[in-house]
Amino acid sequence: MNVQNTPEVRELSYAEAIREAMDIALERDPRVVLMGEDIGVYGGAFQVTGDLVHKYGTDRVMDTPISELGGAGVAVGAALTGLRPIFEFQFSDFAALAMEQIVNQAAKLRYMLGGAVSIPLVMRFPAGSGTGAAAQHSQSLEAWLGHVPGLKVLQPSTPEDVKGMLLAALEDSDPVMLFEHKVLYKMKGHVPEGYYTTPIGKAAVRRAGENVTIVATSLMAHKALNAAETLAGEDIDAEVIDLRTVRPMDRETVLASVRKTGRLMCVYEGVKTLGVGAEISAMVAESDAFDFLDAPILRLGGADCPIPYNPELEKAVVPQVPDIVDAARNLVKGRV
Amino acid sequence: MNVQNTPEVRELSYAEAIREAMDIALERDPRVVLMGEDIGVYGGAFQVTGDLVHKYGTDRVMDTPISELGGAGVAVGAALTGLRPIFEFQFSDFAALAMEQIVNQAAKLRYMLGGAVSIPLVMRFPAGSGTGAAAQHSQSLEAWLGHVPGLKVLQPSTPEDVKGMLLAALEDSDPVMLFEHKVLYKMKGHVPEGYYTTPIGKAAVRRAGENVTIVATSLMAHKALNAAETLAGEDIDAEVIDLRTVRPMDRETVLASVRKTGRLMCVYEGVKTLGVGAEISAMVAESDAFDFLDAPILRLGGADCPIPYNPELEKAVVPQVPDIVDAARNLVKGRV
Amino acid sequence: MPDSNVSYAIRAYSPEALKEALRKMYLIRKFEEGAEDSYMRGLIHGTMHLSIGQEASAVGSCMSLTDEDKITSTHRGHGHCIAKNADLGRMFAEFFGRETGYCRGRGGSMHIADVEKGNLGANGIVGGGLPIAVGAALSAKRLGTGAVTVCFFGDGANNEGAFHEALNMAAIWKLPVVFVCENNKYGMSTSTERSTAVKNIAERAVAYSMPGVTVDGNDFSAVAEAVDAAVARARSGDGPSLVENMTYRWRGHSKSDRNRYRTKEEIAAWTERDPIPRMAELLISNKIVTAEEVEALEAEAEDTIKQAIEFANASPAPKVEEAARYVYTEEPVA
Amino acid sequence: MPDSNVSYAIRAYSPEALKEALRKMYLIRKFEEGAEDSYMRGLIHGTMHLSIGQEASAVGSCMSLTDEDKITSTHRGHGHCIAKNADLGRMFAEFFGRETGYCRGRGGSMHIADVEKGNLGANGIVGGGLPIAVGAALSAKRLGTGAVTVCFFGDGANNEGAFHEALNMAAIWKLPVVFVCENNKYGMSTSTERSTAVKNIAERAVAYSMPGVTVDGNDFSAVAEAVDAAVARARSGDGPSLVENMTYRWRGHSKSDRNRYRTKEEIAAWTERDPIPRMAELLISNKIVTAEEVEALEAEAEDTIKQAIEFANASPAPKVEEAARYVYTEEPVA
Ligand SMILES: Cc1ncc(C[n+]2csc(CCOP(=O)(O)OP(=O)(O)O)c2C)c(N)n1
Ligand SMILES: Cc1ncc(C[n+]2csc(CCOP(=O)(O)OP(=O)(O)O)c2C)c(N)n1
Ligand SMILES: [Mg+2]
Ligand SMILES: [Mg+2]
């Protein structure tokens, strides 16, 4: 891996951080196997698995045929019988072919069998728009899986978190779904050496603030932080929370922030209607934090249309920094 | 059809009303074809298609092999080229096998082709718990499809509505997903003779009230009405809204009611987290109706677990009338 | 040099093993009758899928399996459970929705599994078990356990995409799995003639370069011979096979079936071909058992079922406040 | 009595038709080169899948189709569009994301369709077009249009469950559809040897009781002969067929491909087998065209592409405020 190293901070890209986590996992646990389309000699469609096949061989880094349903089912069966598969969907959109195995089998087997089994399965979903891949290669479907009991659903936004959460997922006994925004893959950031885990189910307060709480997911956490800097220049002090986990959702962190700021905005890339922000909003609106709200709860989500190919249109249908700035300003200045 | 007729009100069961709608559609439009597993001589797993195959033959009432993905795709291709298929999933749970064709193809084709085509496709989803069929045959997945632009998603709760909305769906040029609660199939109610349509996207105020708005979907609309009667005995006057359509959602009707009552409760059977009630709550919380809210927005949804087999457990994991009564009482009496 | 006039079963198994096989066939028959009766008496809700008439397929397919070997089963899976040595009391307890059931009353008839015995479970999704079986075979190969997986599925399931994807992966990776198709001529109401583009499902093995064979699924010896060979092949590292057992379900598909899609004559013709007396005659004519011993076996089976039902009836229901337990392995502290 | 020493194409088609076929093959080649060049110059974003080397398969498979007949295409679909008479300007305009493009700039390379010409569209989902093609064939049969559907798919797609389900339904319902597998030896980086349990994908036709044939996909005449026969069979009501065109993609799978999975030698050997000169020689040796006319055709194709690119470049972009239009047929009044 071409990693730029300095004594103080070691930086890796998001993709490199995932690869390092898988490398560590393959090294320390012989039960770990990687499965997916073109993850071997090709290195993965987004070069996430990279050269791992050369280090661990094709028995542990397995190219599957183009068979998403069957491949996911093989991973479920393997997880049920002693392996710890990490299954990569080439694009999260193709998970639509495997919902049966993910939702009817992996998520429910333990419950249906009265707790007799566990399914220690990790699935990886390259997701999101911004790459000009159009409607069938750009979706953000985390809300679907967030709706499903039995699953855990992660959306780490930094290299450090994605490494730590993937390693945490491998310590979890249940199916963990890891959504990776494709635009993040090349983003670099500090990543600690060696083995560590980042807790599942804990949101991160990326910026403390007094006037408004912005809960954002995945790539939107970065856009929200950018927006917060601009807002600071207007004396609007935004608290930015990176949700990190969709299921189970970190109620406490979000409610504590809303009690403090009295204003809530949810920013997410998935389609606004029935997207992750709907749950964040509803969770707050039914809590005691409701009494602390000084304004309506805003949602900035994806537009009510598929992702278009044209790059200008593509930008227009998901929240951008200026949209976040404007919405937050209006929310704080009471112009909703 | 064994229908009990009286000059004034003609009663049909919910299943009979669906069958009558399909009968009328097959009669008036030669492009209409029914497709599904065992919908022919068997009459459908829930006897919804009944004897239609004997009236219209196997070319128009087609038994498919057990191939949900392919069958759905055939329906999409047929809708794209001049037929008007009505595709029945034997249980809505099996739609998990066909999400690719429903979401990546049917919902997006028109947009991806810049408006060059329409997909006039109706799909029927027998859904919900209460039949002892356990986790893989009892889900309520309307939130998944409600999250998908390009689709329309219906949840009629009465025989009259299901007939009218199915006929409306057949006048619609786009894919319409019809969720039918299995427990409703045997429920009888007045159904007008002949052809009529019930508008898509309009909620129905089933009971006017002053103290609290209860927005409920499908079978829960009936439970909410029962609860409202009990509440009336306690001088709590509940307004009950039957949502009827998940996508597009009837914003106006819901907001108008909340402005009036100042209190909102969402009752739905699907898993609470990221279920339909999350969207209803968030839609209100971000609207001007927020200022009219005197209390937090409550959600009563399905428990965070798969549907169990044991009948007592099965009842316990979805909202029941007493749960609605207690929650509404607490909401109005300010004990949330 | 074995005498090939003597049927395979007689040559291959000890008298004890053969007696045990016949006993299991009776147990399955009596179990299903007991389940049907319990259903009629309102002790079971929901629906269930009975395998009466298919006993030879279930028992014959598991003859060379140990508890280390795995099976994946289907919605019509009671016989498979019993063939894989399930506890009948815990099975009935599950039907009755009791805490002592295999799924603590949470799964019901369509989800019984017995992982200790290598039964990875029935499945409510037609074809759902096919890729899971391939995954179990992958584990066996990677972990070097030497275990073989027998994957039961129906004729209707063979038209699911999962069938195609599963058999292809099993073949390219040469995995130790045997695909056993129980072809009872119908998927619910739809005959294989109307649903499937080949006459025999075993013909589809060619599409995966694996051996495919069709046998009389009501002939215990024929089933055992075909599946044993496939299991041996899998165990020796030569990869998967497809075995098709031609059989018939005597009862309707499920409790709501009005048998509109098949004739009384067809049903009668197949009940003539009851696999259990055939097995009994085979053992009697080969002096493995006497007619009296057979009657004793049947009576004993009847008893065992009675006791199992009693155990189930006496068992406690799950606590309603625990309805949402067993979703996650580490349970959130409420 | 046709002379069977003369190749099928010469016997079957008029000189005009053959010339037109060669012209289209040049158009496809120049189109792909123009697209590649435009991509390099940053005029196209996202990714694209070029079909250079597969021209005979695209053109040969559409010889007996009219505008009434349908095709379903794939992510590697530019050649199919051109074979089905698409407007090249509108294709480039789509790549450039312009309002004049086939999808008004909303679909891009992977979603071009031309319904008037019977092209039901490329597909970003591998195997996504297979059941859709069967649906189109069902419409043709029910509505009695007499139309045939040609369903293009790749070798990689043949391992999707959709392949199995689609071919089975087409067969049991005897629908007028021809499944054309463009086998270019790889699904992205994965060779058929590593992904597919049969040597030739056409062998899988047996599993659907339909004819299956493997031909040299770089031999225009061989492709046309096989597909024409299958189309005639479909048109006469005898049901579906599977034709496998063995071919090769000269370029990487997509723009991100580093060709780590195949050798320079293999690529070189296949570029030797360029289908276009082969077709040109066939026509020249049969006195259908002269070498000069061929040069003219090629030059003319080059020109046509230039003009198409100019049209696209001169076309307006869609209005950003209309990004969410064309989702529903009856558009909600904003
Ligand atoms: C994916 C899916 N589709 C449909 C059903 C409904 N269903 C349950 S059993 C059955 C018939 C299965 O036929 P077959 O595989 O031959 O098994 P058999 O019932 O004959 O034993 C059907 C259609 C289901 N459970 N799962
Ligand atoms: C369902 C699905 N899985 C995976 C992909 C990613 N993908 C796009 S093209 C391709 C290879 C397809 O191979 P093949 O069918 O042989 O067509 P070819 O590219 O060789 O023309 C893959 C894996 C996809 N688009 N859809
Ligand atoms: Mg069957
Ligand atoms: Mg290929």
Side-chain angles (χ1 to χ4, degrees):
Chain A
M1 293 185 289
N2 68 324
V3 181
Q4 107 199 22
N5 270 312
T6 77
E8 309 76 25
V9 287
R10 185 186 69 131
E11 290 217 323
L12 294 185
S13 74
Y14 190 91
E16 289 163 345
I18 297 168
R19 188 183 319 140
E20 184 166 277
M22 294 192 291
D23 194 351
I24 291 169
L26 285 159
E27 191 72 56
R28 71 201 305 257
D29 187 345
R31 300 169 305 166
V32 171
V33 295
L34 312 189
M35 300 178 62
E37 292 160 15
D38 308 290
I39 65 169
V41 57
Y42 197 92
F46 300 99
Q47 294 303 309
V48 175
T49 45
D51 295 332
L52 289 175
V53 69
H54 299 302
K55 185 167 175 188
Y56 297 99
T58 52
D59 275 6
R60 299 192 66 195
V61 181
M62 298 175 64
D63 278 332
T64 64
I66 309 175
S67 307
E68 286 76 11
L69 174 63
V74 169
V76 172
L80 178 61
T81 52
L83 292 178
R84 276 193 155 280
I86 303 175
F87 186 88
E88 172 180 304
F89 286 99
Q90 200 164 78
F91 286 73
S92 65
D93 310 70
F94 313 150
L97 283 156
M99 292 299 277
E100 194 286 293
Q101 283 290 336
I102 299 171
V103 174
N104 291 336
Q105 310 294 342
K108 294 178 173 56
L109 267 165
R110 176 176 175 77
Y111 185 83
M112 293 189 300
L113 304 190
V117 300
S118 294
I119 310 294
L121 169 66
V122 175
M123 290 182 152
R124 299 182 35 243
F125 302 81
S129 67
T131 66
Q136 293 176 330
H137 289 71
S138 304
Q139 294 171 86
S140 300
L141 298 174
E142 58 280 352
W144 278 2
L145 299 184
H147 186 49
V148 179
L151 302 179
K152 296 179 181 178
V153 182
L154 318 183
Q155 280 190 292
S157 72
T158 68
E160 175 169 4
D161 281 357
V162 78
K163 176 182 171 183
M165 293 183 93
L166 176 46
L167 289 170
L170 286 163
E171 288 203 348
D172 200 287
S173 305
D174 300 315
V176 179
M177 309 287 119
L178 182 64
F179 282 79
E180 305 162 0
H181 199 296
K182 299 190 286 292
V183 167
L184 290 174
Y185 280 133
K186 291 199 163 61
M187 174 179 293
K188 285 187 169 275
H190 169 59
V191 176
E193 308 261 3
Y195 184 86
Y196 66 91
T197 62
T198 304
I200 291 172
K202 294 284 318 140
V205 179
R206 298 291 186 195
R207 182 186 193 284
E210 296 299 323
N211 307 141
V212 56
T213 298
I214 303 178
V215 179
T217 61
S218 190
L219 181 62
M220 291 297 155
H222 299 276
K223 295 191 176 181
L225 277 170
N226 293 349
E229 293 319 309
T230 310
L231 290 163
E234 305 178 14
D235 296 323
I236 295 175
D237 187 18
E239 179 146 306
V240 177
I241 296 176
D242 179 352
L243 191 62
R244 297 203 294 191
T245 306
V246 171
R247 162 175 285 270
M249 209 175 268
D250 184 351
R251 204 164 173 277
E252 288 57 40
T253 302
V254 173
L255 297 193
S257 176
V258 172
R259 285 192 207 96
K260 178 176 69 173
T261 66
R263 289 183 165 77
L264 173 61
M265 204 167 107
C266 315
V267 188
Y268 52 111
E269 179 171 325
V271 172
K272 178 181 174 181
T273 303
L274 278 160
V276 171
E279 182 59 32
I280 300 166
S281 170
M283 175 180 77
V284 170
E286 74 188 343
S287 75
D288 56 42
F290 172 84
D291 298 328
F292 294 79
L293 285 171
D294 301 324
I297 300 171
L298 279 196
R299 289 182 296 164
L300 285 186
D304 218 2
C305 69
I307 300 295
Y309 164 72
N310 172 291
E312 295 313 310
L313 270 55
E314 188 181 18
K315 282 195 205 76
V317 299
V318 301
Q320 303 298 340
V321 173
D323 306 321
I324 303 171
V325 170
D326 294 347
R329 184 188 301 118
N330 293 339
L331 185 58
V332 172
K333 297 270 195 314
R335 286 186 255 92
V336 176
Chain B
M1 292 186 291
N2 69 326
V3 179
Q4 110 198 21
N5 270 313
T6 78
E8 309 76 21
V9 288
R10 183 186 71 131
E11 290 217 322
L12 294 184
S13 74
Y14 191 91
E16 289 163 345
I18 297 169
R19 188 184 318 140
E20 184 166 276
M22 295 193 290
D23 193 352
I24 290 170
L26 285 159
E27 191 73 56
R28 72 202 305 260
D29 187 347
R31 299 169 307 167
V32 171
V33 294
L34 312 189
M35 300 177 62
E37 292 160 13
D38 308 290
I39 66 169
V41 58
Y42 196 93
F46 301 99
Q47 295 303 311
V48 174
T49 46
D51 296 333
L52 289 174
V53 69
H54 300 302
K55 183 167 175 189
Y56 297 99
T58 52
D59 276 6
R60 299 192 66 197
V61 181
M62 298 175 63
D63 278 330
T64 64
I66 309 174
S67 307
E68 287 78 10
L69 174 62
V74 169
V76 172
L80 179 61
T81 52
L83 292 178
R84 275 193 156 282
I86 303 177
F87 186 87
E88 172 180 304
F89 286 98
Q90 200 163 81
F91 286 74
S92 66
D93 311 69
F94 312 151
L97 283 156
M99 293 299 277
E100 195 285 294
Q101 283 290 336
I102 299 171
V103 173
N104 291 337
Q105 309 295 342
K108 295 178 173 55
L109 268 165
R110 177 176 175 77
Y111 185 83
M112 292 190 301
L113 303 190
V117 300
S118 294
I119 310 294
L121 169 66
V122 175
M123 290 182 152
R124 299 182 36 244
F125 303 80
S129 66
T131 66
Q136 293 176 329
H137 289 71
S138 304
Q139 293 170 88
S140 299
L141 298 174
E142 58 280 352
W144 279 2
L145 298 183
H147 186 49
V148 179
L151 303 178
K152 297 180 180 179
V153 182
L154 317 184
Q155 279 190 293
S157 72
T158 69
E160 175 168 7
D161 281 358
V162 78
K163 176 182 172 183
M165 294 183 92
L166 177 46
L167 289 170
L170 286 163
E171 289 203 347
D172 200 287
S173 305
D174 301 314
V176 179
M177 309 287 118
L178 182 65
F179 282 79
E180 306 162 0
H181 199 296
K182 299 190 287 290
V183 168
L184 291 174
Y185 281 134
K186 292 199 160 64
M187 173 179 293
K188 285 188 169 272
H190 168 61
V191 176
E193 307 260 3
Y195 184 85
Y196 65 92
T197 62
T198 304
I200 291 171
K202 294 283 318 139
V205 179
R206 299 292 185 195
R207 182 185 193 285
E210 296 299 321
N211 307 139
V212 56
T213 298
I214 303 178
V215 180
T217 60
S218 189
L219 180 62
M220 291 297 155
H222 299 276
K223 295 191 176 183
L225 277 171
N226 293 350
E229 293 319 309
T230 309
L231 290 162
E234 307 179 14
D235 296 325
I236 295 175
D237 187 18
E239 178 147 306
V240 177
I241 296 177
D242 178 353
L243 192 62
R244 296 202 294 191
T245 306
V246 170
R247 164 175 283 271
M249 210 174 267
D250 184 351
R251 207 166 170 276
E252 287 57 40
T253 302
V254 173
L255 297 193
S257 177
V258 172
R259 284 192 208 95
K260 178 176 69 173
T261 65
R263 288 182 166 76
L264 173 61
M265 203 168 106
C266 314
V267 188
Y268 52 110
E269 179 172 326
V271 172
K272 178 182 174 181
T273 304
L274 278 160
V276 170
E279 182 59 31
I280 300 166
S281 170
M283 174 180 80
V284 169
E286 73 187 344
S287 74
D288 56 40
F290 172 85
D291 298 328
F292 294 79
L293 285 170
D294 302 322
I297 301 171
L298 279 198
R299 291 182 295 165
L300 285 188
D304 218 2
C305 70
I307 300 294
Y309 165 72
N310 172 293
E312 294 314 310
L313 271 54
E314 187 181 18
K315 281 196 206 75
V317 299
V318 301
Q320 304 297 339
V321 173
D323 307 321
I324 304 172
V325 170
D326 294 346
R329 185 189 300 118
N330 293 340
L331 185 58
V332 172
K333 298 276 196 317
R335 283 187 258 96
V336 176
Chain C
M1 181 63 202
D3 171 357
S4 58
N5 297 336
V6 180
S7 83
Y8 169 82
I10 305 302
R11 283 181 276 123
Y13 309 119
S14 69
E16 293 63 39
L18 289 167
K19 240 187 265 182
E20 175 60 10
L22 180 59
R23 192 182 74 86
K24 280 182 174 172
M25 288 170 72
Y26 276 121
L27 277 177
I28 295 171
R29 177 68 53 93
K30 303 299 175 187
F31 181 94
E32 298 289 43
E33 288 169 355
E36 191 170 35
D37 177 68
S38 307
Y39 187 92
M40 296 311 175
R41 293 199 276 101
L43 287 163
I44 301 177
H45 80 314
T47 187
M48 62 168 52
H49 309 88
L50 303 175
S51 64
I52 295 177
Q54 304 185 182
E55 295 85 354
S57 172
V59 176
S61 298
C62 296
M63 286 305 286
S64 56
L65 302 186
T66 71
D67 286 359
E68 296 315 302
D69 297 316
K70 314 288 184 220
I71 68 166
T72 61
S73 175
T74 71
H75 58 284
R76 199 173 304 285
H78 307 157
H80 308 143
C81 293
I82 294 170
K84 206 75 168 67
N85 307 312
D87 177 299
L88 304 168
R90 293 189 62 194
M91 287 178 71
F92 271 111
E94 189 53 40
F95 293 0
F96 296 175
R98 306 304 168 91
E99 185 73 19
T100 54
Y102 267 108
C103 314
R104 299 174 177 275
R106 287 153 176 84
S109 160
M110 270 189 293
H111 302 293
I112 292 179
D114 186 356
V115 182
E116 281 63 43
K117 296 277 173 44
N119 176 358
L120 299 181
N123 210 306
I125 303 298
V126 167
L130 282 150
I132 292 174
V134 175
L138 179 68
S139 289
K141 184 165 185 171
R142 290 285 181 270
L143 301 172
T145 65
V148 170
T149 300
V150 167
C151 172
F152 289 101
F153 65 102
D155 50 283
N158 101 99
N159 294 315
E160 285 282 6
F163 164 87
H164 178 64
E165 297 184 2
L167 270 70
N168 183 62
M169 283 186 277
I172 59 173
W173 295 329
K174 268 196 163 217
L175 297 179
V177 54
V178 177
F179 298 98
V180 174
C181 180
E182 297 187 298
N183 184 343
N184 56 14
K185 296 169 57 79
Y186 298 91
M188 208 154 157
S189 69
T190 311
S191 67
T192 52
E193 290 72 23
R194 292 170 56 231
S195 70
T196 306
V198 283
K199 190 169 175 320
N200 292 316
I201 282 131
E203 295 170 39
R204 288 185 162 170
V206 176
Y208 313 101
S209 305
M210 68 174 76
V213 55
T214 303
V215 301
D216 178 347
N218 287 6
D219 176 345
F220 169 85
S221 185
V223 170
E225 183 165 18
V227 178
D228 283 0
V231 168
R233 183 169 185 276
R235 229 184 271 286
S236 60
D238 296 334
S241 310
L242 173 56
V243 176
E244 177 180 26
N245 299 337
M246 298 303 303
T247 183
Y248 200 79
R249 62 167 159 75
W250 291 10
R251 298 293 192 266
H253 164 70
S254 69
K255 290 287 130 204
S256 61
D257 189 342
R258 291 168 303 170
N259 276 313
R260 287 188 170 179
Y261 51 88
R262 56 184 193 177
T263 63
K264 291 198 177 36
E265 294 65 29
E266 179 181 290
I267 299 172
W270 275 93
T271 49
E272 287 305 300
R273 305 174 49 187
D274 188 337
I276 299 184
R278 266 170 90 175
M279 173 67 164
E281 280 144 32
L282 176 72
L283 300 199
I284 291 167
S285 61
N286 284 276
K287 312 263 183 300
I288 308 287
V289 292
T290 66
E292 295 64 33
E293 289 176 290
V294 168
E295 277 171 26
L297 272 180
E298 180 169 10
E300 179 201 305
E302 194 111 33
D303 259 28
T304 313
I305 298 304
K306 270 210 198 63
Q307 290 157 29
I309 293 176
E310 278 161 22
F311 166 84
N313 268 321
S315 294
K319 295 203 193 71
V320 169
E321 52 292 5
E322 291 191 348
R325 279 197 64 185
Y326 309 112
V327 179
Y328 294 100
T329 307
E330 293 86 25
E331 298 193 336
V333 275
Chain D
M1 182 59 200
D3 170 357
S4 56
N5 299 336
V6 180
S7 83
Y8 169 82
I10 304 302
R11 284 181 275 124
Y13 310 119
S14 70
E16 293 63 37
L18 290 166
K19 240 185 268 181
E20 175 61 8
L22 179 60
R23 192 181 74 85
K24 281 181 174 172
M25 289 170 71
Y26 276 120
L27 277 178
I28 295 171
R29 178 68 55 92
K30 303 297 173 186
F31 180 94
E32 299 289 44
E33 289 170 354
E36 191 169 37
D37 177 68
S38 306
Y39 186 91
M40 296 312 175
R41 294 201 276 97
L43 288 163
I44 301 177
H45 82 311
T47 187
M48 62 167 54
H49 309 88
L50 303 175
S51 65
I52 294 176
Q54 305 185 180
E55 295 85 354
S57 171
V59 176
S61 299
C62 295
M63 287 305 286
S64 56
L65 302 186
T66 71
D67 286 359
E68 297 315 303
D69 297 315
K70 314 289 186 222
I71 66 166
T72 59
S73 176
T74 70
H75 58 284
R76 200 174 303 286
H78 307 156
H80 309 143
C81 292
I82 294 170
K84 207 73 168 65
N85 306 313
D87 178 301
L88 304 168
R90 292 188 63 195
M91 287 178 70
F92 272 110
E94 189 54 37
F95 293 0
F96 297 175
R98 307 304 168 92
E99 185 73 19
T100 54
Y102 267 109
C103 313
R104 298 174 180 275
R106 287 155 175 82
S109 160
M110 270 188 294
H111 302 294
I112 292 179
D114 186 357
V115 182
E116 282 64 44
K117 297 275 171 46
N119 176 359
L120 300 182
N123 211 305
I125 302 298
V126 167
L130 282 150
I132 291 174
V134 175
L138 179 68
S139 289
K141 185 165 183 170
R142 292 284 181 270
L143 302 172
T145 65
V148 170
T149 301
V150 167
C151 172
F152 289 101
F153 66 101
D155 50 284
N158 102 98
N159 294 316
E160 285 281 8
F163 165 88
H164 178 65
E165 298 183 3
L167 269 70
N168 184 61
M169 284 187 275
I172 59 174
W173 296 329
K174 265 194 165 219
L175 298 179
V177 53
V178 178
F179 299 98
V180 174
C181 180
E182 297 186 300
N183 183 345
N184 56 14
K185 298 169 58 76
Y186 298 91
M188 207 152 158
S189 70
T190 311
S191 67
T192 52
E193 290 73 22
R194 292 170 55 231
S195 71
T196 307
V198 283
K199 191 171 176 317
N200 292 317
I201 283 136
E203 295 170 37
R204 290 186 161 168
V206 176
Y208 314 101
S209 304
M210 67 174 74
V213 54
T214 303
V215 301
D216 178 348
N218 287 7
D219 176 345
F220 170 85
S221 186
V223 170
E225 183 164 19
V227 178
D228 283 0
V231 168
R233 184 167 186 277
R235 231 185 268 289
S236 60
D238 297 334
S241 310
L242 172 56
V243 176
E244 177 180 25
N245 298 338
M246 299 303 302
T247 183
Y248 199 79
R249 64 168 156 76
W250 292 10
R251 297 296 192 264
H253 165 70
S254 70
K255 288 290 135 204
S256 61
D257 189 344
R258 292 168 302 169
N259 276 312
R260 287 189 171 178
Y261 50 88
R262 54 183 194 177
T263 63
K264 292 198 175 40
E265 294 65 32
E266 179 182 287
I267 298 172
W270 275 93
T271 48
E272 287 304 301
R273 304 174 49 187
D274 188 337
I276 299 184
R278 267 170 88 176
M279 172 67 163
E281 280 144 31
L282 175 73
L283 299 201
I284 291 167
S285 61
N286 283 279
K287 312 263 181 303
I288 307 287
V289 290
T290 65
E292 294 64 34
E293 288 177 290
V294 170
E295 278 171 27
L297 273 181
E298 180 167 11
E300 181 201 304
E302 194 109 34
D303 260 27
T304 314
I305 298 304
K306 272 210 197 61
Q307 290 158 29
I309 292 176
E310 278 162 22
F311 166 84
N313 268 321
S315 293
K319 295 203 193 71
V320 169
E321 55 285 12
E322 291 192 349
R325 277 197 66 184
Y326 310 113
V327 179
Y328 294 100
T329 307
E330 294 86 24
E331 300 196 336
V333 276

